[in-house]
Every structure is written in structure tokens, then in C-alpha cells.
Amino acid sequence: DTEVTQTPKHLVMGMTNKKSLKCEQHMGHRAMYWYKQKAKKPPELMFVYSYEKLSINESVPSRFSPECPNSSLLNLHLHALQPEDSALYLCASSQVRLANTGELFFGEGSRLTVL
Amino acid sequence: SQQGEEDPQALSIQEGENATMNCSYKTSINNLQWYRQNSGRGLVHLILIRSNEREKHSGRLRVTLDTSKKSSSLLITASRAADTASYFCATAPSQGNLIFGKGTKLSVKP
């Protein structure tokens, strides 16, 4: 069982909707990540938070807005999405932002469909 | 751009056989990691090998790393139907974040 919990597991939304994806971890990790994964593709990094501060934004469109309320929670706010944004959104955490030296713990993902 | 490239893209074997997947990368790395992903699920970390290591074992998994060739291999011995999944190598460059390769889809037939 994963120790990173993502909700909801599935989300269907229209292009004018506002919704949020949530991620929670209680491993004391200080770095959290959002990845986007299209079918049959590898995960692509979107955002990295380190000690609750946004440290990496991989040129993600502003219709995706991350938020880290505290060290255990990570949100991804969605607004005015396009059908091509349909994908599996994965949250991950690591002990520190030095992902270069450690493993990532992934949640099970939120499957997003934009109509 | 992607750092790791797995080979083959797809592999189909019988239960009990060994499965070998390869990963090539382009720049210098701190470590290389392998992850497994069951269909539609999250990724699970399998093993990490550091740049100064050449081989590492974990249960039925054996990973090798050749930094001179910028390549790694993952061997799964005595495969089981439950090993059916996609396997990704992920490279940790000296600067920057973990970069995932395209993955190998492994199918183990009972």
C-alpha cells in the first residue's frame, strides 16, 4: 500500500469547471511533486515543492495552480482545462528535495478526464 | 528531453523465465533508479544504484550500471505473472530532477 494518498481517484470535468486534486503524505517528507502521465508515456514533472515552497515549475500552463498548505499536503487546482489535459496526475514525495540522492514515493494517481 | 531510454519497448515471456531490460542515458548521473508501474496505478520504487556502484541485488532483481557506456540493465529472475507491468528507469543527473525513460512493458504469461 502506498503511503501517499491521492484524491479523487477519478475526476471528470468540463472545460469551464474548477476542481482540485489533493495529495497527502505522513512520512515526514519535505519535498512533494506533481507529475503528469499520458497513456503509454513516462511521467513528466510539473511542479516541485521543497519545505512548502515552490522550487520547480516546469513551464506548466497557468490553468494548473499548485498549492502546498503544509508539509503533508499538496493540492493541484484546475481551471479552464483543455481535453488534451486528460491524463493520470501523480503525486510523489521524497525525504528532501534532493531527489538526486533518494527515491520517490508515489501515490496511486488521479485519473482526470476533461470533456 | 528524456534522459533514459529503455530497451526493449515491450517484452513478452513465459512464467519462470528471466526478463532483462536495458536503459541508456546521456549525461553524468548521481544515481539511477528503477520503478515499476502496474496498469493505471502509481509507480513503485524497486532499486537505486549509485554512480560508484556496478551491481546491486534485491530479491529476484539484479541491476547493473556501466557509467562508461552510460547504460544500466534490470534483470528479473524466475518471473511471475505478477511481474507484468511497465518498468521505468529514472536517472538522477548531477543537476536537476529525476528524469524517467520511456519504459519497457513486460508481459509474463502463466
Side-chain angles (χ1 to χ4, degrees):
Chain A
D1 288 341
T2 182
E3 295 183 69
V4 177
T5 304
Q6 289 187 241
T7 55
K9 292 192 188 310
H10 299 276
L11 178 63
V12 179
M13 59 186 291
M15 288 190 285
T16 58
N17 292 157
K18 284 186 181 181
K19 297 286 185 183
S20 297
L21 305 180
K22 298 184 184 302
C23 176
E24 190 169 3
Q25 58 88 13
H26 293 288
M27 294 178 282
H29 290 174
R30 302 312 300 268
M32 296 186 77
Y33 310 76
W34 279 116
Y35 282 85
K36 173 183 176 180
Q37 187 179 27
K38 302 282 276 185
K40 299 183 180 180
K41 297 288 186 182
E44 294 179 1
L45 183 64
M46 299 175 72
F47 301 105
V48 181
Y49 272 83
S50 178
Y51 293 88
E52 295 107 71
K53 286 185 170 40
L54 182 65
S55 62
I56 299 284
N57 176 343
E58 292 285 352
S59 303
V60 179
S62 59
R63 56 186 185 268
F64 294 92
S65 175
E67 179 196 18
C68 190
N70 59 56
S71 60
S72 299
L73 295 174
L74 185 66
N75 298 323
L76 186 62
H77 302 299
L78 314 170
H79 174 54
L81 295 193
Q82 304 296 312
E84 59 264 29
D85 296 322
S86 298
L88 182 67
Y89 288 83
L90 294 162
C91 173
S93 69
S94 63
Q95 285 190 326
V96 290
R97 214 287 276 176
L98 297 173
N100 297 356
T101 58
E103 66 182 277
L104 297 181
F105 291 78
F106 282 86
E108 293 285 15
S110 292
R111 173 73 61 188
L112 173 67
T113 303
V114 182
L115 300 177
Chain B
S1 63
Q2 285 167 345
Q3 166 85 303
E5 295 284 338
E6 284 92 338
D7 167 52
Q9 291 186 2
L11 180 60
S12 182
I13 59 175
Q14 295 293 133
E15 217 168 19
E17 294 179 339
N18 295 342
T20 300
M21 290 159 263
N22 302 298
C23 172
S24 60
Y25 58 92
K26 296 175 184 174
T27 63
S28 62
I29 59 172
N30 284 338
N31 66 63
L32 185 144
Q33 304 176 32
W34 286 90
Y35 288 80
R36 184 188 74 217
Q37 185 178 33
N38 288 1
S39 181
R41 305 288 295 275
L43 281 78
V44 175
H45 181 265
L46 295 176
I47 197 164
L48 180 153
I49 186 164
R50 301 189 189 285
S51 58
N52 61 354
E53 297 175 310
R54 291 296 167 258
E55 187 170 314
K56 204 161 182 180
H57 296 255
S58 177
R60 293 184 296 112
L61 305 180
R62 172 178 168 251
V63 169
T64 62
L65 179 65
D66 187 335
T67 52
S68 67
K69 295 181 179 178
K70 292 187 167 58
S71 67
S72 172
S73 67
L74 171 67
L75 169 68
I76 304 174
T77 59
S79 62
R80 305 165 182 168
D83 294 328
T84 295
S86 290
Y87 291 82
F88 294 94
C89 72
T91 49
S94 304
Q95 298 290 331
N97 291 289
L98 210 59
I99 302 172
F100 287 87
K102 293 180 180 178
T104 292
K105 189 170 184 178
L106 174 65
S107 176
V108 182
K109 299 179 181 178

